[in-house]
Amino acid sequence: MTTEESSLFDESLVAGGSPGRVFTSAQKKYILFVVSIAGLLPMVVSATFVPTIPQVSKDLQSTDAAVSLAVSLSVFATAIGPLCWASYSSVYGRRLIYLFGTPVFCIGSLGVATSSSLFPFLFWRFVQTFGCSGGQAIGAGVIGDIFELE
């Protein structure tokens, strides 16, 4: 049974006892690159939207203030997303959460692109940011798994 004190990684399966010794240096660098991109994605998603608010409000026939609510929803999704993704990653594994979160992000992006009114736009914007927000919390665990403490 897994408890807070027990390791989530079965060290008996690794020759040498440390998960960091499973990967080569090149593999570790590649994993670090992918995890870093996944961790930065929610900020990129939020930051690239702000300059487009006037055009989006014109396209959706809404006000700038109403469309700016999408920024607040993105921040909210970025805040609660890692709580959900991280708790499931300890049960189902980090890889599976990355593989599930990325399609959620893509579906949210398609929904944002095809939205023709404000409320679907806000919903899909939340889904988009929620899908990519797991990279922040899960990335710290991945880095802790592949690099040794020393």
Side-chain angles (χ1 to χ4, degrees):
M1 181 169 170
T2 304
T3 65
E4 289 293 324
E5 291 82 24
S6 66
S7 173
L8 293 175
F9 188 81
D10 188 3
E11 295 180 5
S12 65
L13 298 176
V14 180
S18 173
R21 294 186 181 153
V22 173
F23 301 106
T24 65
S25 178
Q27 288 173 324
K28 287 180 184 181
K29 289 177 184 175
Y30 178 73
I31 292 170
L32 180 63
F33 174 75
V34 171
V35 166
S36 298
I37 295 298
L40 288 173
L41 197 56
M43 272 82 66
V44 170
V45 166
S46 294
T48 56
F49 173 70
V50 174
T52 65
I53 289 175
Q55 183 62 42
V56 171
S57 64
K58 188 169 126 182
D59 291 344
L60 296 178
Q61 296 152 356
S62 184
T63 64
D64 290 350
V67 173
S68 295
L69 182 60
V71 175
S72 300
L73 283 173
S74 293
V75 170
F76 180 66
T78 303
I80 66 166
L83 298 174
C84 298
W85 293 119
S87 62
Y88 284 118
S89 75
S90 65
V91 176
Y92 298 110
R94 293 181 180 97
R95 183 176 183 267
L96 185 63
I97 298 301
Y98 275 119
L99 292 176
F100 185 73
T102 303
V104 171
F105 166 69
C106 293
I107 290 168
S109 297
L110 288 173
V112 167
T114 59
S115 295
S116 59
S117 64
L118 182 64
F119 291 113
F121 175 78
L122 294 175
F123 171 77
W124 289 116
R125 185 79 179 144
F126 179 85
V127 170
Q128 178 188 39
T129 311
F130 184 84
C132 68
S133 66
Q136 297 168 330
I138 299 169
V142 170
I143 291 170
D145 285 345
I146 65 171
F147 289 102
E148 294 183 26
L149 188 58
E150 290 94 36

